[in-house]
Structures are given as C-alpha cells and as structure tokens.
C-alpha cells in the first residue's frame, strides 16, 4: 500500500510537471520576445540621443559638445529626445549644482541646500533641420514641483555656455 501511494504520487507529479514545462517554455519565449523588442527600441533611441549629444558648439573661441556642457553644469543628467516632423526636441534634466547656475537669483543658504538635494533643472533644446534653434531654448528650475526659475531664448542658452 505504501508503494502504491508513492507510485501514484510520483505519477501525479510527473503529469503535473509535463504540463508545466510547456507553459514554462511559452513564458520563456514570450519574455525573450519582449526583451528583444525592448533592446531594439533602446538601441534606436540611444543612437538618436547619442548623435544629438555629440553636437559640437562653438562659443567664444571654445568648442565643446552638448554632452560636455550638461555633464559639467548639472548632476544626474538624463536625456530625452523626441522627433516630430522637421522639429526635434531634446529635454535634458538634471539636479542643480551650486556652480554659479542661476546665481543672479541670490538664493539663501538653506534654499541652496534644498536645491542641491531636490532642485531639478529642465532644459529644452529645439532642432530644426538638424540645427539647434537657440531662440526656442527653455530653461526651468523646480524645487518640490514649484517652478523657481524660467528662462527662454538665446541669452539663457548663452548663459549656460558661459558657465561651462
């Protein structure tokens, strides 16, 4: 009787595992398909972002890339690139550094401390026919969802260049 119970248990377990193995295989195939599509999307997006980040800027007898500029003046830089017809937008976000960025606002020391930890900078650059349109530049600084600074245009962008 004991052997019969063991044999029945093993038979039941074998049948259960055979049914699960096909389901497990299906799950593996589905996961592999999702992973490959995600990799394709990331690769295509990152190629566009990398090419835009490599755009060279010449300003006051200096040459630097957009990547150099923003890696130098912001912390935790993230890039978001969106193509729409002839106009492309690049959103650069990062954390504020106390390096002279927005120094004209004379923030108090306690506000500067909060900005270093939670101050978020957004810079929106617009490209038309693969050329940077400096007039459409928008620069914002937020602290806890509150907009503290909003600057626009060529002068705002050139202030970032000078800071670099």
């Amino acid at each position: 009787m004991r052997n019969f119970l063991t044999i029945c248990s093993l038979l039941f377990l074998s049948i259960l595992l055979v049914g699960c193995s096909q389901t497990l295989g299906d799950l593996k195939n589905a996961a592999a398909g999702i992973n490959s599509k995600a990799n394709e999307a990331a690769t295509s997006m990152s190629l566009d972002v990398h090419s835009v980040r490599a755009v060279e800027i010449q300003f006051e007898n200096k040459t630097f890339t957009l990547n150099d500029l923003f890696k130098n003046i912001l912390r935790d830089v993230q890039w978001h690139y969106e193509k729409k017809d002839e106009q492309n937008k690049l959103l650069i976000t990062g954390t504020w550094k106390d390096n002279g960025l927005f120094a004209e606002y004379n923030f108090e020391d306690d506000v500067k401390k909060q900005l270093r930890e939670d101050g978020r900078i957004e810079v929106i650059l617009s490209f038309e026919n693969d050329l940077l349109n400096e007039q459409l530049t928008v620069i914002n600084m937020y602290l806890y969802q509150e907009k503290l600074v909003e600057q626009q245009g060529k002068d705002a962008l050139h202030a970032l260049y000078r800071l670099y």
Side-chain angles (χ1 to χ4, degrees), residues 69-124:
L69 171 68
F70 289 104
K71 291 285 185 175
N72 188 19
I73 63 173
L74 300 176
R75 290 186 303 116
D76 308 321
V77 179
Q78 295 180 6
W79 305 83
H80 311 277
Y81 184 64
E82 182 179 323
K83 280 185 165 186
K84 283 190 176 176
D85 301 321
E86 294 298 314
Q87 190 170 35
N88 305 315
K89 296 217 182 252
L90 178 64
L91 170 65
I92 303 110
T93 59
T95 309
W96 183 76
K97 273 186 178 179
D98 191 5
N99 55 6
L101 183 60
F102 304 125
E104 65 270 20
Y105 289 88
N106 296 320
F107 294 113
E108 295 180 11
D109 289 338
D110 61 327
V111 174
K112 284 183 180 181
K113 182 180 181 212
Q114 291 174 338
L115 286 170
R116 279 190 297 271
E117 295 171 7
D118 300 307
R120 185 173 49 101
I121 307 295
E122 287 183 351
V123 179
I124 301 170

Side-chain angles (χ1 to χ4, degrees), residues 49-86:
V49 171
H50 286 302
S51 64
V52 172
R53 288 169 52 178
V55 167
E56 288 190 346
I57 305 295
Q58 293 183 351
F59 183 75
E60 295 181 350
N61 299 321
K62 293 181 183 175
T63 301
F64 50 90
T65 66
L66 286 176
N67 188 55
D68 295 337
L69 171 68
F70 289 104
K71 291 285 185 175
N72 188 19
I73 63 173
L74 300 176
R75 290 186 303 116
D76 308 321
V77 179
Q78 295 180 6
W79 305 83
H80 311 277
Y81 184 64
E82 182 179 323
K83 280 185 165 186
K84 283 190 176 176
D85 301 321
E86 294 298 314

Side-chain angles (χ1 to χ4, degrees), residues 94-152:
T95 309
W96 183 76
K97 273 186 178 179
D98 191 5
N99 55 6
L101 183 60
F102 304 125
E104 65 270 20
Y105 289 88
N106 296 320
F107 294 113
E108 295 180 11
D109 289 338
D110 61 327
V111 174
K112 284 183 180 181
K113 182 180 181 212
Q114 291 174 338
L115 286 170
R116 279 190 297 271
E117 295 171 7
D118 300 307
R120 185 173 49 101
I121 307 295
E122 287 183 351
V123 179
I124 301 170
L125 301 177
S126 295
F127 293 84
E128 293 176 357
N129 300 319
D130 297 330
L131 296 174
L132 177 61
N133 185 338
E134 294 179 336
Q135 295 298 338
L136 297 178
T137 300
V138 177
I139 303 170
N140 297 312
M141 180 168 66
Y142 298 91
L143 180 60
Y144 305 120
Q145 307 300 324
E146 179 185 348
K147 188 185 290 187
L148 298 181
V149 174
E150 181 176 8
Q151 298 179 346
Q152 297 179 352

